[in-house]
Amino acid sequence: MATEQKKSNPFRIHGVATGESFADRVAEVARLEAALTEPGSKLIVYGPRRMGKTSAVLRAIERVNKGGGYAFCADLSTASSAADMSNRILAAAGAVLGRTLRDFITDLVSRLKLSVTLTADPATGLVLPGLDLQARDWDAARQREALTDVLDALNLLAQKRKITIGIALDEFQEITTLGGEKAEWHLRGAIQRHEHLSYVLAGSRTRLIDRMTGEAGAFYKLADKMPFGPIDASVFAAWIDRRFRAGGLRTSGAGKEIVSSAGPRTRDVMQLARVCYDRARTLKHVTTKDIEAAMREIIAEENDLFHMQWRSLTPLQQNVLRAVAAGEAGLTTRQVMQRFSLGGTGSAANAAAALIEAGLLMRDDAYSGMRVSTPTGYAFDSPFFLAWVWWNALQDLGPTLAQQIREGPLRYDSGPR
Ligand SMILES: Nc1ncnc2c1ncn2[C@@H]1O[C@H](COP(=O)(O)OP(=O)(O)OP(=O)(O)O)[C@@H](O)[C@H]1O
Ligand SMILES: [Mg+2]
């Protein structure tokens, strides 16, 4: 016994999911892979945060490259200017294609209209291109030109070598945040004429993406759209149970309970499963009891953050959160308005809208792929904040009411997913 090696936790939540720690997404990865290899194709992948978009995109890219194709992903989420975006694209292209395509970097650089600097990357030994240091101070028009110059050069290079290069731009909607609509139209123009590239544009700011792809938006009818929803609940539950077993634990249906407690976001489910595993590993058996304990452990760790979030809200917004957590009936029903002091129907709706804006709530039908259904029509963004409200902020209603509500189960939604 003492010599038995301690197995590592089979649920990973840091970075993106890879290898064995990657669950399902068979259909999504296949579609992404096809999109990344078909010349001229354009696909917009959008869905709420923590769903697993980036992990799926990277998995598809890995498969394309392993299969002899060419694809890379540039993460635009931290960019502060269009010049930063160009740098990200240049570096990602160099790091991935610099390994598989002979003379890729010199070829790419020779096709650029603008001048670039080359720097040896100590980690990989590759020489990576980047815009001149002053580029971030260029005016907006010049920065936009630089971005299309980079993409044009990749297209020319692909044409000359008779290959297709798949480019994934993660959090592509930031182009609008940084460069406004002009940059958006500029990028559309470039993407449209690149017959030797294929584009996957992924993003999580769904309302902005809806606007960009709507009738007046620059990306209207440019690309196919792929909503990125939750992993099928029963597939995910079975996968979690298999991973528990692979990690040396017996399980009697914990997977199903974990999926329904943690809601639709892949990361939240993985986080809950991870803590359950750590709690259950000594007894080598994970039970539904571990799930509530794990949930409490997570919210205890996040207590400061949740408390601060709570304190930043107005009393009415706090009451709306209590009503959504209690999940009895719609916010505009008389009983709910009275029980939770929601004022009139208009004020409750306004408070809910502000909570959506703040990223704490979402409408349960916000994204067709989410398949969430709640009595109030609203769902918490985070199942852990929901649990925090349930255990910490219902007490304020007085013991009678709090107890009455807590007689029902704490659940993320009310319908099967
Ligand atoms: N298919 C999967 N199998 C297992 N874990 C996954 C899977 N997809 C995502 N995850 C987990 O969820 C976390 C979030 O995933 P990822 O960053 O890919 O999501 P995202 O939708 O791109 O989120 P964001 O909008 O925040 O960028 C990852 O760190 C990973 O732990
Ligand atoms: Mg992402």
Side-chain angles (χ1 to χ4, degrees):
M1 204 52 182
T3 54
E4 191 180 330
Q5 252 195 352
K6 200 173 165 192
K7 290 191 190 267
S8 63
N9 194 314
F11 303 101
R12 293 197 21 217
I13 52 167
H14 302 296
V16 292
T18 54
E20 279 205 312
S21 62
F22 186 91
D24 187 49
R25 298 298 190 195
V26 178
E28 289 90 342
V29 172
R31 182 158 180 204
L32 289 165
E33 202 181 334
L36 286 164
T37 45
E38 187 192 324
S41 90
K42 300 155 194 78
L43 181 65
I44 291 181
V45 185
Y46 65 104
R49 302 212 55 193
R50 310 192 304 282
M51 202 55 105
K53 298 174 298 297
T54 302
S55 299
V57 166
L58 291 177
R59 181 107 162 166
I61 285 180
E62 190 188 351
R63 290 175 60 94
V64 171
N65 289 313
K66 274 196 180 146
Y70 306 95
F72 67 90
C73 174
D75 173 9
L76 306 183
S77 66
T78 58
S80 310
S81 66
D84 296 1
M85 293 188 165
S86 301
N87 278 330
R88 283 283 181 169
I89 296 170
L90 283 171
V96 178
L97 306 181
R99 289 170 202 276
T100 46
L101 284 170
R102 183 179 252 272
D103 301 329
F104 171 77
I105 290 166
T106 35
D107 195 0
L108 176 64
V109 169
S110 71
R111 286 169 203 283
L112 289 168
K113 286 195 220 118
L114 49 91
S115 76
V116 293
T117 53
L118 292 171
T119 314
D121 177 13
T124 57
L126 284 169
V127 175
L128 296 180
L131 299 189
D132 284 339
L133 283 178
Q134 300 78 21
R136 305 182 85 220
D137 295 327
W138 290 347
D139 63 27
R142 196 160 167 214
Q143 291 199 26
R144 285 197 298 271
E145 294 291 341
L147 181 58
T148 43
D149 186 27
V150 169
L151 297 171
D152 285 344
L154 283 162
N155 184 56
L156 274 174
L157 186 152
Q159 179 179 19
K160 155 127 180 292
R161 299 196 182 206
K162 298 194 172 60
I163 58 172
T164 300
I165 298 178
I167 302 183
L169 300 178
D170 200 8
E171 303 299 351
F172 77 103
Q173 76 282 334
E174 295 313 304
I175 184 82
T176 306
T177 319
L178 299 178
E181 286 196 28
K182 267 195 186 152
E184 218 176 291
W185 284 97
H186 210 79
L187 184 62
R188 181 200 170 103
I191 288 179
Q192 232 172 351
R193 63 174 180 264
H194 292 158
E195 290 174 10
H196 305 278
L197 304 179
S198 57
Y199 285 93
V200 163
L201 307 175
S204 52
R205 292 175 60 189
T206 37
R207 269 191 300 161
L208 179 53
I209 295 171
D210 278 345
R211 197 198 50 65
M212 291 167 82
T213 55
E215 248 174 76
F219 289 80
Y220 182 57
K221 290 200 170 158
L222 173 73
D224 291 335
K225 285 172 78 176
M226 169 174 160
F228 200 91
I231 295 178
D232 177 88
S234 55
V235 170
F236 208 178
W239 181 86
I240 290 170
D241 284 335
R242 280 202 302 279
R243 294 293 287 161
F244 274 128
R245 285 189 216 106
L249 299 195
R250 279 184 297 132
T251 157
S252 16
K256 184 165 180 238
E257 202 65 29
I258 289 173
V259 172
S260 78
S261 306
R265 319 285 180 100
T266 310
R267 187 186 196 281
D268 299 339
V269 174
M270 296 292 291
Q271 186 175 358
L272 187 58
R274 181 176 169 84
V275 178
C276 283
Y277 180 88
D278 278 339
R279 299 191 66 91
R281 76 193 317 165
T282 36
L283 294 178
K284 298 201 178 253
H285 187 188
V286 56
T287 68
T288 46
K289 272 209 193 111
D290 295 309
I291 300 170
E292 185 180 322
M295 202 76 172
R296 285 182 183 272
E297 187 177 322
I298 293 170
I299 66 167
E301 267 170 21
E302 300 287 333
N303 185 54
D304 286 354
L305 175 72
F306 289 155
H307 204 253
M308 212 167 66
Q309 249 165 359
W310 182 257
R311 293 293 305 272
S312 73
L313 303 172
T314 66
L316 180 60
Q317 290 168 349
Q318 293 173 342
N319 283 332
V320 166
L321 288 184
R322 289 189 181 99
V324 173
E328 290 170 344
L331 295 186
T332 53
T333 54
R334 230 194 20 224
Q335 195 205 350
V336 171
M337 286 203 302
Q338 272 175 1
R339 261 191 150 180
F340 297 95
S341 316
L342 299 185
T345 49
S347 57
N350 286 342
L355 290 163
I356 291 176
E357 194 59 40
L360 296 177
L361 285 187
M362 46 178 278
R363 290 207 58 104
D364 69 350
D365 59 358
Y367 315 108
S368 54
M370 292 279 285
R371 295 192 294 279
V372 171
S373 138
T374 63
T376 54
Y378 295 95
F380 275 74
D381 178 85
S382 160
F384 307 121
F385 192 40
L386 161 64
W388 184 89
V389 172
W390 180 266
W391 278 313
N392 293 287
L394 291 180
Q395 273 142 251
D396 305 316
L397 302 170
T400 319
L401 195 45
Q403 249 171 42
Q404 256 179 34
I405 294 169
R406 290 220 204 92
E407 269 163 22
L410 159 62
R411 44 187 321 160
Y412 186 82
D413 67 8
S414 51
R417 282 200 307 278

